Amino acid sequence: MLESIHKPVLVALSGNEPLAQKISERLGIPLAKQNLDRFADGEIRFNLDDSVRGANVYIIQSTSAEGNNSVNDAWMELYISIDALRRASAHSINIIMPYYGYARQDRKARSREAITSRMVADLLERVGADRLVALDLHATQIQGFFDIPVDHLIGAPILADYLICNGYVDDNTVVASPDHGGVKRARELTQFLGLEESFVVLDKRRPTDQKNTVEVMNLIGNVEGKTVIMVDDIIDTGNTIAQGAKLLKKKGATKVIAAATHALLNGNAVQNLQDSDFDHVVVTDSIVIPESKKFPKLEIVSTDDLFAKAIEAIQDYKSVSPLFQNKYHRG
Ligand code: R5P
């Protein structure tokens, strides 16, 4: 393992230091010593203590507001560190991005609007990233915004493993997508849960001018007397899934569980979800969740093993596909 002539160097930026630390422990590779500070006006300054000449560098950064001052700061920190490492003659610069900020702006939804997830991708390549390892991109076609390799990992295997190991899944369980856009993701989860035929969709409508307001209108499928696992990529304000849970309970579901990869938990999300019809809210640690945002119904599954295995595979020139093709068990 990790026998490449290009030694692996792990760099943790501000976005998700606790996860970076766990990945480092799993791999047995210490995080590189760095200096990350700011000028008085807020400009970011970065450098590493030790040489990275000829090394395969793995920069771990979630481009979320949590852990950073803002989403924009997270991206800027990343660009600056890539530039520094490229100028320091790293052999390759691999970006381990548990959460890809701006992913939701992946198309022109309105006139005179930017495609921001493409724009941040262009900049990432321009400054010198050689590879991106991402998790549950909001839209899989974001991979096509890059000309460098993108390893797109999915959260379904680790969420499924957690749900099964905690006894949340039986023959009476169905998986729900909170909207039409999430159907593929929900279908993936059914496969990992062995529930291919147990699937329902919520028909969500969102007023065009209100970004975080949703109105769940209809349910396609039957949930009478069922345990329902509602899966989404992102929980931001929690409105989408909380309204979905309410509808599912109204339609006769006996128990409703949320399973989501990225827990942004903004606005009233914490109160919203604790007071919701969910029995459990299961998320990953792709984004740092501070103590102030933890609530009794929240359960957090770590992605540390997934990313550690991905780094091992890249370092050893092996395929990462076993991480999303097989049944996954956290090592
Ligand atoms: C939207 O398309 C995403 O997949 C999520 O459903 C959305 O971002 C969740 O937002 P919120 O929690 O604010 O309803």
Side-chain angles (χ1 to χ4, degrees):
M1 200 268 290
L2 308 174
E3 296 296 340
S4 164
I5 55 163
H6 304 291
K7 70 169 178 177
V9 171
L10 295 187
V11 175
L13 300 184
S14 308
N16 202 333
E17 287 173 9
L19 177 58
Q21 190 57 50
K22 284 186 185 172
I23 294 171
S24 145
E25 281 160 21
R26 280 198 173 262
L27 290 169
I29 304 170
L31 296 172
K33 290 211 168 40
Q34 66 192 23
N35 306 298
L36 187 54
D37 57 15
R38 279 160 199 279
F39 288 92
D41 65 353
E43 285 179 8
I44 298 165
R45 187 170 64 162
F46 170 92
N47 89 312
L48 274 195
D49 277 2
D50 297 323
S51 170
V52 290
R53 208 166 273 260
N56 285 337
V57 180
Y58 298 87
I59 303 178
I60 303 166
Q61 173 75 325
S62 279
T63 48
S64 54
E66 205 64 64
N68 302 279
N69 286 337
S70 67
V71 177
N72 301 334
D73 255 35
W75 277 103
M76 202 61 203
E77 201 179 82
L78 182 57
Y79 296 142
I80 290 168
S81 65
I82 295 171
D83 190 69
L85 296 166
R86 183 173 51 80
R87 291 175 195 280
S89 305
H91 172 72
S92 72
I93 301 176
N94 305 276
I95 312 306
I96 309 296
M97 194 179 289
Y99 175 70
Y100 186 110
Y102 279 116
R104 286 175 287 183
Q105 295 183 50
D106 59 353
R107 68 200 184 288
K108 265 181 77 169
R110 296 177 304 176
S111 305
R112 297 170 295 284
E113 193 169 64
I115 303 179
T116 320
S117 56
R118 165 67 198 251
M119 193 200 78
V120 291
D122 282 348
L123 292 172
L124 205 59
E125 272 193 56
R126 176 66 188 84
V127 289
D130 292 299
R131 172 187 299 274
L132 173 71
V133 180
L135 174 67
D136 275 339
L137 289 166
H138 178 61
T140 49
Q141 54 271 31
I142 290 173
Q143 294 171 82
F145 293 172
F146 291 90
D147 286 325
I148 55 172
V150 176
D151 292 318
H152 185 203
L153 307 179
I154 57 173
I158 47 176
L159 291 168
D161 184 52
Y162 180 89
L163 294 164
I164 293 168
C165 291
N166 284 279
Y168 294 167
V169 183
D170 59 26
D171 293 345
N172 201 33
T173 306
V174 300
V175 173
S177 171
D179 53 32
H180 297 287
V183 166
K184 183 174 175 291
R185 189 173 301 111
R187 279 265 181 229
E188 266 165 10
L189 187 67
T190 63
Q191 284 158 20
F192 286 100
L193 293 174
L195 294 171
E196 282 84 347
E197 304 307 319
S198 308
F199 180 67
V200 299
V201 183
L202 283 81
D203 179 25
K204 175 182 92 169
R205 306 214 185 130
R206 190 192 288 275
T208 49
D209 56 342
Q210 295 175 36
K211 284 190 285 301
N212 288 110
T213 312
V214 294
E215 196 182 342
V216 175
M217 303 298 291
N218 289 306
L219 172 69
I220 303 168
N222 176 27
V223 295
E224 181 81 45
K226 305 274 186 190
T227 294
V228 185
I229 298 173
M230 190 191 295
V231 59
D232 208 348
D233 59 332
I234 297 171
I235 301 177
D236 193 349
T237 61
N239 285 334
T240 301
I241 57 167
Q243 291 190 30
K246 190 173 285 180
L247 180 72
L248 292 168
K249 276 278 169 88
K250 206 169 117 194
K251 297 283 183 184
T254 47
K255 194 169 180 184
V256 188
I257 298 164
T261 309
H262 307 300
L264 292 175
L265 303 179
N266 288 311
N268 292 330
V270 169
Q271 202 58 49
N272 217 358
L273 293 170
Q274 181 58 30
D275 295 345
S276 70
D277 290 290
F278 287 113
D279 295 88
H280 308 274
V281 177
V282 180
V283 299
T284 80
D285 61 355
S286 67
I287 295 169
V288 173
I289 304 179
E291 289 304 316
S292 60
K293 286 191 174 177
K294 292 184 179 160
F295 52 97
K297 287 183 181 175
L298 187 72
E299 297 165 36
I300 304 169
V301 192
S302 186
T303 54
D304 58 347
D305 181 58
L306 188 69
F307 284 112
K309 284 184 174 141
I311 291 171
E312 274 179 357
I314 294 162
Q315 186 65 16
D316 289 348
Y317 300 107
K318 292 200 174 128
S319 169
V320 297
S321 47
L323 297 179
F324 43 83
Q325 281 174 353
N326 302 334
K327 283 242 180 267
Y328 171 86
H329 290 294
R330 194 159 183 270

